[in-house]
Amino acid sequence: MTPRLYLPVSLRAGDEFDLSTEQSHYVARVLRLRPGDPLQVFDGKGCRHAAVIAALQSKQARLRLGDALAPGAESPLSITLAQCISSAEKMDWTIEKAVELGVAAIQPLISRRSIVRLDAQRAQRRSEHWQRLIVAACMQCGRDRLPALAPTTDLSRWLAPPAPGVTALVLVPGGAVRLSRIDTPAAHIRLLVGPESGLADDELEAARAAGFIEASLGPRVLRTETAGLAALAVLQARAGDL
């Protein structure tokens, strides 16, 4: 696979760009590219270009953009994963793999039973960390559009009736509807996943009142970091691009 870099600027064939110190190190020391070597760049908004290393010094790399390339890694489904925050490594895993599975947006949530609690400063640092994970995952999996990362918020503030044309699902062990057997969902989906110990009864009732359909993934109880990813795979297989 051709190496890829995220370059959040307007991309035009023939333009040249000096990479940051960090990206220059990645190109020279990690990828071990040399002048004239090909790569691809993407802007995070759906645009991808061929490129070559135009110049490479000890701590500075310069790229020259070639022709625009056709993007092709975005799912026809627009899925928002509303994930109650789990511990650091678990949440990192969920976000990284959700990007690989084609999620369109990620909404981190705090629910009553959430083990992880973040003040404003920690939430900002965690959000910046997650954004870096999203960029890295897009570089790896071939996506040209970065999934949107919403600010962390309380579940009670986020819950609202879905807009017309949106299917809202909440994963519940023993839920009335098996996700694999649900009617073909709409192109826009909101998928709510509770924390390690599940949603509280009143939170689940509030989700029902907001129009969320209770769905299960079968007879086994999955961990929070697994459940959302399994559900994304099922939805992509039913109506997406898997």
Side-chain angles (χ1 to χ4, degrees), residues 3 5 19-35 37 39 53 55-63:
L5 284 179
L19 297 181
S20 67
T21 300
E22 181 180 359
Q23 286 187 315
S24 295
H25 177 271
Y26 177 72
V27 165
R29 303 302 180 188
V30 179
L31 297 178
R32 298 189 178 277
L33 299 181
R34 296 291 180 263
D37 284 348
L39 68 162
I53 304 296
L56 184 61
Q57 299 176 355
S58 58
K59 295 184 179 180
Q60 184 65 65
R62 172 174 281 266
L63 298 184

Side-chain angles (χ1 to χ4, degrees), residues 108-122:
L109 294 173
I110 300 292
S111 63
R112 184 172 308 130
R113 294 177 178 171
S114 294
I115 296 173
V116 177
R117 298 286 172 177
L118 303 175
D119 59 26
Q121 189 174 35
R122 288 185 63 207

Side-chain angles (χ1 to χ4, degrees), residues 207-220:
R208 291 192 200 100
F212 280 72
I213 301 168
E214 294 182 42
S216 78
L217 289 162
R220 291 168 295 281

